[in-house]
Each structure stands twice: as C-alpha cells, then as structure tokens.
Amino acid sequence: MLPLDWRKRTLDLGRFGRLHVRCIGRIDLICMKVYSSPKRPQDREDLHYLKPTPAEIKTAAENLDRIERECMEEGKLDPQRKQLRRLMEQHDR
C-alpha cells in the first residue's frame, strides 16, 4: 500500500504514443515493498539492497500506522513492523 500523497512524487518518464509513463518515488517504493514483504521474498531482498535510511524507515512505519487505522485490525501488520525493525538493525550495524 502506498502513502496517500504518492502521486505528487511520481516522475514523468515520457509519452510513447497514447501511453503516458510515470514511476513512483523511492519512499513510495520502500513503503510498497515493506507492505508486501511478508508474502514476497523478493521484496525483502529488494529492501536489503535499497538500504532505507532511518527517516525512510520512520515514514514507512507511519504509513503502516495509517493503514492499520483504516483497516481497524490491530496487529494485522506485525510482520511488516518486524521487517522494519530488521531494516533499522541493519542500518545500526
């Protein structure tokens, strides 16, 4: 799941005929990969190589807080929070 304001951070890659191509920003990619990491090993690996900064990890945690509030299921995102703790530990090494 992406942060609510993700669209304003997209980058224009160009127009190819009728196709208009944009890509998401780094923080949005990190948030998306954190959210899907429990089910997608490749996303955990991508997060390892992306090496999110403490500020990016904090933003991803805040995004999880928002998603959890919207879903009203406390604890549902514990696997994602565990992934964020691992990322922070990697950063601290």
Side-chain angles (χ1 to χ4, degrees):
M1 293 263 229
L2 293 167
L4 295 176
D5 56 350
W6 68 271
R7 281 187 178 88
K8 72 180 181 182
R9 287 186 296 277
T10 60
L11 304 171
D12 190 0
L13 296 180
R15 290 191 179 272
F16 305 92
R18 298 175 129 208
L19 179 65
H20 183 199
V21 180
R22 301 185 66 78
C23 70
I24 62 173
R26 176 180 163 88
I27 190 61
D28 304 303
L29 178 64
I30 290 168
C31 288
M32 188 173 61
K33 289 193 172 287
V34 165
Y35 184 79
S36 61
S37 66
K39 293 183 180 179
R40 291 176 39 99
Q42 65 268 35
D43 286 337
R44 289 192 299 275
E45 186 175 331
D46 290 346
L47 284 165
H48 172 75
Y49 290 112
L50 282 166
K51 297 186 186 325
T53 66
E56 290 169 328
I57 293 169
K58 181 178 184 246
T59 299
E62 290 167 353
N63 188 55
L64 290 178
D65 292 343
R66 176 191 61 85
I67 294 167
E68 200 165 53
R69 280 191 310 273
E70 290 173 359
C71 295
M72 292 192 257
E73 291 187 45
E74 194 171 321
K76 180 179 179 182
L77 301 178
D78 286 348
Q80 288 86 345
R81 292 183 193 288
K82 186 176 180 181
Q83 179 64 40
L84 287 176
R85 283 192 297 277
R86 278 192 221 116
L87 291 169
M88 189 56 90
E89 288 168 4
Q90 286 177 357
H91 189 273
D92 291 343
R93 289 184 203 155

